[in-house]
Amino acid sequence: MNGLGVHDGMRANGSVHNRVLRVLLRSNLTLLQPLLQDAVRMSFTKEMASGAAMKHGEAVPRVRDDLATAHQLGWIKLQTFAMAKNIVVQVNSTAFFGVGLSRDPLFLEAALRYPQDVFVASEALRFVPTFMASYVLYLSTILHRIKLKPGRKVASLITRQGEAAETLVRYLTPVVNARLHTREQSKSLGQHKPLDCIQWIVDTMPRKQPWSAEKIVQVVLGLWFASVHQLAMSVVYGLYDLCKYPDYVAALRDELTVQEGRVENLVLMDSFLKESARMCPSDSSTSPRPSQSLK
């Protein structure tokens, strides 16, 4: 993950990510909610427009306004996991990187690819002996860059994430440098501070030994990797459980109506999603090798 070292011991990883995600993110959800709702609405509308309108179980020919046609027919066919990933990336990027970057198509494409490519690369490297992993990764990178045929399949599988990582680093580094410069110039920005995880990491990092921009970008990418796939899988499992247990739909809708979408008061929704995640855990396939630090 762009050089970020992840250790088995929690203390070795520090407490910045804990404070950012468990304290600052939660405490700012009320302020973030309008931005997140706009991101969900925009992304969901885009996904619906890209789907195929259905009639009697068959896709109808695409027209100029396929979404309007689908509304008339009543059905749209979508790939559930792809839709969930796209929506989660749009929403999470708003909270992680701010509205500006979350509206950039090139940045969003890289943000979507990065977690998936890291996951695929890590799974591929599981079949390689530990002492050879770094050599295989380095060799595949060289073969990919000079476009030698024997290494292209391996390189495309293992190092394709490098392209997405390079794009993210290229976008994030100047943003982080600007935040660090602003932090040094003014210690009391108050409400004028950006409302995103980058700013919270800058504010929370150790003051005696402040982090470099490179280190902050590494931490952001590490948190981003964990934020997309698991949440997207949880969304998919939640949708499947709603289809499997339709009796819950009415109660959940009533709660949303009564609470007017205030997420902190959605007790039934919270319980439903927790039970869905408990029955379909999404982290069992991403466990690292035991007693070993990962980089």
Side-chain angles (χ1 to χ4, degrees):
M1 289 180 288
N2 201 46
L4 176 65
V6 181
H7 305 277
D8 291 336
M10 291 298 294
R11 290 185 179 180
N13 293 317
S15 60
V16 172
H17 61 285
N18 256 333
R19 174 164 173 75
V20 168
L21 298 180
R22 294 190 176 185
V23 179
L24 296 176
L25 178 58
R26 287 184 178 182
S27 63
N28 285 283
L29 271 180
T30 303
L31 298 175
L32 278 172
Q33 188 169 344
L35 299 175
L36 300 181
Q37 287 176 337
D38 288 343
V40 171
R41 188 179 301 110
M42 179 177 63
S43 183
F44 191 71
T45 301
K46 181 180 178 181
E47 291 299 313
M48 295 288 282
S50 66
M54 304 294 292
K55 183 176 182 180
H56 303 305
E58 299 291 336
V60 301
R62 293 190 65 86
V63 293
R64 183 175 181 180
D65 191 348
D66 206 47
L67 185 57
T69 304
H71 278 309
Q72 296 174 2
L73 299 176
W75 294 95
I76 291 180
K77 183 178 180 180
L78 294 169
Q79 293 184 354
T80 313
F81 187 52
M83 176 198 69
K85 283 196 301 181
N86 290 333
I87 294 176
V88 166
V89 165
Q90 181 75 65
V91 174
N92 281 9
S93 63
T94 302
F96 268 73
F97 313 117
V99 176
L101 288 179
S102 68
R103 299 294 188 268
D104 189 298
L106 182 60
F107 179 84
L108 280 182
E109 180 185 359
L112 175 63
R113 283 178 47 198
Y114 177 73
Q116 179 176 340
D117 292 345
V118 171
F119 177 82
V120 171
S122 65
E123 290 300 306
L125 289 174
R126 287 179 189 275
F127 296 96
V128 178
T130 304
F131 72 93
M132 291 183 58
S134 59
Y135 298 103
V136 171
L137 186 60
Y138 175 76
L139 179 60
S140 61
T141 303
I142 298 300
L143 293 176
H144 176 75
R145 289 178 178 175
I146 63 178
K147 298 182 179 180
L148 289 180
K149 292 184 178 179
R152 294 194 67 180
K153 290 185 178 180
V154 177
S156 63
L157 178 65
I158 297 181
T159 65
R160 194 168 66 97
Q161 59 94 6
E163 300 174 5
E166 288 175 3
T167 301
L168 294 178
V169 170
R170 187 172 69 251
Y171 273 88
L172 291 174
T173 300
V175 173
V176 173
N177 278 324
R179 302 286 181 88
L180 290 173
H181 178 73
T182 303
R183 183 188 187 221
E184 292 300 322
Q185 293 296 318
S186 174
K187 300 293 184 180
S188 58
L189 290 178
Q191 295 300 319
H192 299 291
K193 289 183 179 181
L195 200 62
D196 55 48
C197 286
I198 294 178
Q199 185 63 44
W200 299 330
I201 291 174
V202 170
D203 291 339
T204 310
M205 68 179 181
R207 294 187 176 275
K208 292 184 178 180
Q209 294 180 334
W211 292 350
S212 65
E214 181 183 10
K215 170 69 173 179
I216 294 174
V217 170
Q218 290 174 350
V219 172
V220 169
L221 292 182
L223 294 176
W224 179 253
F225 169 73
S227 75
V228 177
H229 267 264
Q230 290 194 347
L231 182 55
M233 292 170 70
S234 297
V235 170
V236 171
Y237 290 139
L239 290 174
Y240 288 169
D241 284 334
L242 284 176
C243 296
K244 188 176 181 180
Y245 305 105
D247 294 343
Y248 291 95
V249 174
L252 293 172
R253 283 179 174 171
D254 290 342
E255 182 183 54
L256 284 169
T257 302
V258 171
Q259 300 297 337
E260 297 180 345
R262 293 189 293 270
V263 293
E264 67 274 9
N265 296 330
L266 300 179
V267 179
L268 293 178
M269 179 70 74
D270 185 64
S271 300
F272 182 87
L273 293 176
K274 283 182 177 178
E275 184 65 10
S276 176
R278 186 183 72 84
M279 297 299 295
C280 303
S282 59
D283 59 350
S284 59
S285 61
T286 60
S287 300
R289 288 169 173 158
S291 303
Q292 174 180 311
S293 297
L294 301 178
K295 177 172 278 190

